[in-house]
Amino acid sequence: MSWLTETLTSTPGRKVIMAATGIFLILFLAVHLTGNLQLLKDDNGESFNIYAEFMSTNPLIQFVSKGNFFFILLHVVVSVFLTRKNQQARPVAYKVPVKSGTSSLSSRNMGILGTVILVFLIIHLKGFWYEMHYGEIPYKNYDGHEARDLYAVVDAAYSQWYWVLIYVVSMLAVAFHLSHGFQSAFQTLGMSHVKYSPAIKLLGIAFSILVPAGFAVIPIVMFFN
């Protein structure tokens, strides 16, 4: 188990963990968005409720979901260790500020962006995940198939302007976080080459724009509808 201890305690090992968990969470975001877009179907929530019921009762999906919580926690904990390590390595700040051209705005503020996202996740889990598992949500019958009316919970939340604002601002933080984290994760895992690095960078930019925008559009459309 020495290799595991070394991985968890060394800076390179922790960076690999950050990259691997980051890629897993990137994939999760893509899948999660696909399901959430069911909210915009004009069927009074039937598509989303059936989708949500399947996701919450399928054993394989639930196993992956538990793994997702673990990877989020691991990603947060390791990021804290790396941040503290960097601070200890240079306890005194640079007298001359680093030129903005040497690093992006998102890369210089990953800690702040990560904190905003973590707060958002807590709010999100309390408002939806907790209600789904422990709230008193009525069931609806769809051609003999019963599903909890989770659409009503989401619709009630997105009818409040401040919830919409929270989600849109949080998605902006996610976008900036991804704009640096996407490419950085692949680079950390050794996927850096003059031939395909530009493609990874382009894919990262597209992903960091389209996916958060997709999440942000949902509460906006539901609010105005």
Side-chain angles (χ1 to χ4, degrees):
M1 297 294 288
S2 59
W3 65 269
L4 179 60
T5 303
E6 183 177 350
T7 299
L8 293 174
T9 56
S10 67
T11 298
R14 287 171 177 171
K15 287 183 177 180
V16 169
I17 292 174
M18 283 290 291
T21 54
I23 290 176
F24 176 87
L25 296 174
I26 285 170
L27 294 173
F28 170 79
L29 280 176
V31 175
H32 193 44
L33 175 60
T34 302
N36 280 13
L37 288 174
Q38 303 297 319
L39 286 162
L40 299 184
K41 284 193 173 182
D42 190 19
D43 58 1
N44 296 319
E46 178 178 348
S47 296
F48 179 75
N49 285 338
I50 292 176
Y51 155 79
E53 193 68 22
F54 169 77
M55 296 293 285
S56 62
T57 55
N58 184 281
L60 178 59
I61 299 298
Q62 284 302 296
F63 176 78
V64 175
S65 177
K66 299 299 187 298
N68 182 58
F69 286 126
F70 172 75
F71 286 132
I72 290 174
L73 181 61
L74 184 60
H75 195 79
V76 171
V77 171
V78 173
S79 69
V80 171
F81 276 113
L82 287 173
T83 301
R84 291 186 62 185
K85 186 74 173 180
N86 291 336
Q87 291 173 343
Q88 290 171 358
R90 180 164 291 279
V92 180
Y94 289 105
K95 291 183 179 180
V96 180
V98 179
K99 293 182 180 180
S100 60
T102 61
S103 61
S104 65
L105 177 65
S106 56
S107 66
R108 297 195 303 273
N109 294 281
M110 288 296 278
I112 296 174
L113 293 170
T115 301
V116 172
I117 295 169
L118 180 60
V119 172
F120 162 73
L121 282 174
I122 295 172
I123 295 173
H124 181 72
L125 291 173
K126 173 61 177 68
F128 297 106
W129 182 87
Y130 182 86
E131 289 298 321
M132 179 178 69
H133 288 278
Y134 303 106
E136 296 181 359
I137 302 175
Y139 279 81
K140 280 192 171 182
N141 190 290
Y142 300 107
D143 296 327
H145 180 80
E146 286 196 341
R148 285 167 294 182
D149 191 11
L150 294 170
Y151 178 86
V153 177
V154 180
D155 188 48
Y158 292 159
S159 66
Q160 308 294 329
W161 67 268
Y162 51 86
W163 281 115
V164 176
L165 181 62
I166 289 172
Y167 275 75
V168 171
V169 171
S170 298
M171 287 306 107
L172 284 173
V174 170
F176 279 106
H177 195 76
L178 285 171
S179 67
H180 173 71
F182 191 102
Q183 184 182 3
S184 178
F186 285 95
Q187 186 175 353
T188 299
L189 295 177
M191 301 178 189
S192 179
H193 192 275
V194 66
K195 289 185 177 180
Y196 49 78
S197 287
I200 293 177
K201 182 178 181 179
L202 182 61
L203 179 62
I205 293 173
F207 190 93
S208 64
I209 294 173
L210 296 177
V211 172
F215 278 111
V217 162
I218 295 171
I220 293 174
V221 171
M222 293 184 70
F223 177 78
F224 284 105
N225 284 343

